[in-house]
């Protein structure tokens, strides 16, 4: 029977880890180990891990802070399983998650998979709004967790990713510690001939941020990361990735449209009003909450502005650096 190694890098989040480990205790499929990599945390989770020793096959390792990509590599090197699963520490999963993965790999094996993320009913309204924004057709085009990504060239994200031991052995793990490290890893695996797939049923509940300031900083980081991915794989920078930048520039330019012609100004205002209305209606319909609908408007603008500014910031930097430069990032708090 296939054995799984669940690898979780942790940085100053012992409380979140407790909730995820409780989910793992409840798994209906039991043949797995859990590897916790404490990546230089000041607030350590060792006592949390110890409290689960009698309920899980769990191992704790501490290393100097080097970023989440290298923390995962550290876990790969110590894993005993046939198949590795990566979670962020701020995830929650259903009791049948591993059973779903096992059944899928038994019937249609893939060397790399990714699962979608969503919000949990217990999440705060702002978390639900941020979750909506990160998956909405009005902000991301709905490409995260899309059915068309079921097989072939899907790029799994490390908050919910699985890979065979063979993939790790041939890729040598993550090339960099942060700044799009998971997408770079996925692309590398695909170019080595491995197949990937989205497993829609293997979803997680992703807590994300709890305030818009942190969400803005996270999305600015994601915008920068998209440029960094292009440093490794230039052809992976698509037109769709520029939408947040042009949206941001368009919003900023609306007041100046008056100087060209008042009707252009009014058209810009009308567009934004319609855009907000569509988000409000869709988010309210999905969540059943007017408050979440209203907060989703704010979340969408924070997301697009954050990503757009980060994209511009790193893209401008890219114009004046050597084309062979590779941004490996520095060890900082995890952005996820």
């Amino acid at each position: 029977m296939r054995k799984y190694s669940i690898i979780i890098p942790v940085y100053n989040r012992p409380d979140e880890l407790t909730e995820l480990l409780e989910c793992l205790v409840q798994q209906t499929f039991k043949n797995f180990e859990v590897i916790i990599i404490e990546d230089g945390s000041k607030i350590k989770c060792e006592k949390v891990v110890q409290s689960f020793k009698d309920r899980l096959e769990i191992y704790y390792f501490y290393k100097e802070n080097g970023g989440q990509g290298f923390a995962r590599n550290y876990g790969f090197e110590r894993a005993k399983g046939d198949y590795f699963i990566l979670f962020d520490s701020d995830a929650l999963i259903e009791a049948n998650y591993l059973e779903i993965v096992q059944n899928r790999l038994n019937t249609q094996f893939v060397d790399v998979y990714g699962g979608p993320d969503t919000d949990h009913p217990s999440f705060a309204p702002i978390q639900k709004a941020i979750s909506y924004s990160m998956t909405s057709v009005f902000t991301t085009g709905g490409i995260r967790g899309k059915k068309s990504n079921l097989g072939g060239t899907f790029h799994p994200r490390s908050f919910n990713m699985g890979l065979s031991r063979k993939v790790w052995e041939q890729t040598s793990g993550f090339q960099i510690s942060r700044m799009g490290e998971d997408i770079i890893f996925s692309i590398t695996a695909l170019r080595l001939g491995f197949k990937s797939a989205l497993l829609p049923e293997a979803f997680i509940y992703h807590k994300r941020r709890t305030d818009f300031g942190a969400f803005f900083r996270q999305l600015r980081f994601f915008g920068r990361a998209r440029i960094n991915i292009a440093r490794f794989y230039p052809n992976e920078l698509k037109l769709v990735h520029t939408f947040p930048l042009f949206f941001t520039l368009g919003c900023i330019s609306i007041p100046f449209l008056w100087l060209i012609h008042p009707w252009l100004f009014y058209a810009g205002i009308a567009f934004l009003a319609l855009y907000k209305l569509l988000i409000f209606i869709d988010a309210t319909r999905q969540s059943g909450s007017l408050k979440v609908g209203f907060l989703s408007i704010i979340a969408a603008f924070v997301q697009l502005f954050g990503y757009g500014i980060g994209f511009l910031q790193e893209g401008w930097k890219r114009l004046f650096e050597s084309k062979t430069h590779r941004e490996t990032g520095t060890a900082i708090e995890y952005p996820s």
Side-chain angles (χ1 to χ4, degrees):
M1 181 185 296
R2 186 181 299 110
K3 181 168 184 174
Y4 295 89
S5 294
I6 299 175
I7 299 170
I8 308 168
V10 182
Y11 185 80
N12 291 335
R13 292 179 177 179
D15 293 338
E16 289 182 345
L17 180 64
T18 299
E19 295 180 272
L20 175 54
L21 294 180
E22 289 287 358
C23 293
L24 292 174
V25 169
Q26 302 301 320
Q27 290 301 297
T28 54
F29 181 89
K30 301 294 186 181
N31 195 26
F32 66 93
E33 63 175 357
V34 183
I35 299 176
I36 306 300
I37 309 299
E38 186 92 74
D39 190 30
S41 301
K42 294 180 181 179
I43 307 172
K44 296 183 180 179
C45 66
E46 186 172 10
K47 289 183 178 179
V48 170
V49 174
Q50 289 297 327
S51 70
F52 283 86
K53 282 285 188 178
D54 61 341
R55 291 184 285 170
L56 291 170
E57 181 185 347
I58 189 168
Y59 305 96
Y60 172 86
F61 299 96
Y62 179 91
K63 63 179 288 294
E64 293 301 316
N65 181 248
Q68 52 198 355
F70 294 161
R72 297 182 191 111
N73 288 347
Y74 195 88
F76 292 156
E77 293 166 358
R78 288 153 180 80
K80 300 188 290 290
D82 311 299
Y83 209 96
F84 306 149
I85 295 177
L86 304 178
F87 291 133
D88 283 353
S89 62
D90 60 352
L92 300 174
I93 61 174
E94 291 286 357
N96 63 344
Y97 178 96
L98 285 175
E99 185 177 349
I100 289 170
V101 171
Q102 172 73 352
N103 290 340
R104 168 59 194 272
L105 296 182
N106 282 346
T107 57
Q108 191 178 1
F109 184 84
V110 288
D111 278 292
V112 188
Y113 82 81
D117 59 337
T118 187
D119 60 275
H120 190 272
S122 67
F123 286 2
I126 191 171
Q127 289 176 304
K128 293 181 179 180
I130 289 173
S131 180
Y132 168 83
S133 179
M134 289 293 287
T135 57
S136 171
V137 67
F138 295 109
T139 52
T140 66
I143 60 175
R144 293 168 64 94
K146 204 172 183 181
K147 293 291 185 181
S148 60
N149 290 323
L150 288 176
T153 59
F154 176 58
H155 295 162
R157 311 296 178 95
S158 55
F159 61 77
N160 183 11
M161 174 191 283
L163 60 138
S164 67
R165 176 174 287 275
K166 187 176 180 181
V167 171
W168 167 59
E169 291 172 347
Q170 293 199 21
T171 60
S172 299
F174 290 87
Q175 300 178 48
I176 60 175
S177 62
R178 52 188 285 272
M179 289 278 283
E181 79 287 346
D182 49 359
I183 300 299
I184 292 169
F185 175 84
S186 295
I187 296 170
T188 300
L190 291 172
R191 295 197 176 194
L192 286 172
F194 294 107
K195 297 297 183 182
S196 68
L198 168 70
L199 274 58
E201 298 82 9
F203 64 88
I204 67 167
Y205 300 112
H206 207 175
K207 296 177 189 174
R208 302 193 182 281
R209 305 299 86 194
T210 55
D211 66 83
F212 287 129
F215 185 48
F216 176 84
R217 292 189 293 274
Q218 180 188 40
L219 267 295
R220 183 176 62 186
F221 184 90
F222 288 173
R224 295 180 59 209
R226 178 52 61 180
I227 295 295
N228 196 43
I229 294 166
R231 291 185 172 106
F232 288 79
Y233 297 109
N235 292 336
E236 293 295 330
L237 187 61
K238 310 295 186 183
L239 183 62
V240 67
H241 298 137
T242 66
F243 170 70
L245 171 62
F246 287 113
F247 180 87
T248 301
L249 294 177
C251 289
I252 294 172
S253 70
I254 286 177
F256 301 99
L257 294 178
W258 183 273
L259 301 176
I260 301 173
H261 196 286
W263 282 112
L264 290 176
F265 171 78
Y266 292 134
I269 295 297
F271 168 78
L272 288 184
L274 177 61
Y275 184 65
K276 292 176 184 178
L277 180 62
L278 290 173
I279 291 174
F280 177 77
I281 293 172
D282 189 50
T284 300
R285 177 185 61 82
Q286 290 192 32
S287 66
S289 167
L290 292 173
K291 184 174 183 179
V292 172
F294 174 74
L295 290 172
S296 294
I297 297 173
I298 302 174
F301 276 77
V302 170
Q303 175 184 336
L304 293 172
F305 271 62
Y307 193 105
I309 290 171
F311 189 94
L312 178 62
Q313 176 188 355
E314 199 68 22
W316 183 260
K317 176 181 174 182
R318 178 68 175 142
L319 289 176
F320 299 99
E321 67 189 14
S322 167
K323 295 302 180 184
T324 60
H325 173 74
R326 296 289 184 268
E327 180 62 65
T328 59
T330 56
I332 64 168
E333 183 176 357
Y334 294 4
S336 60

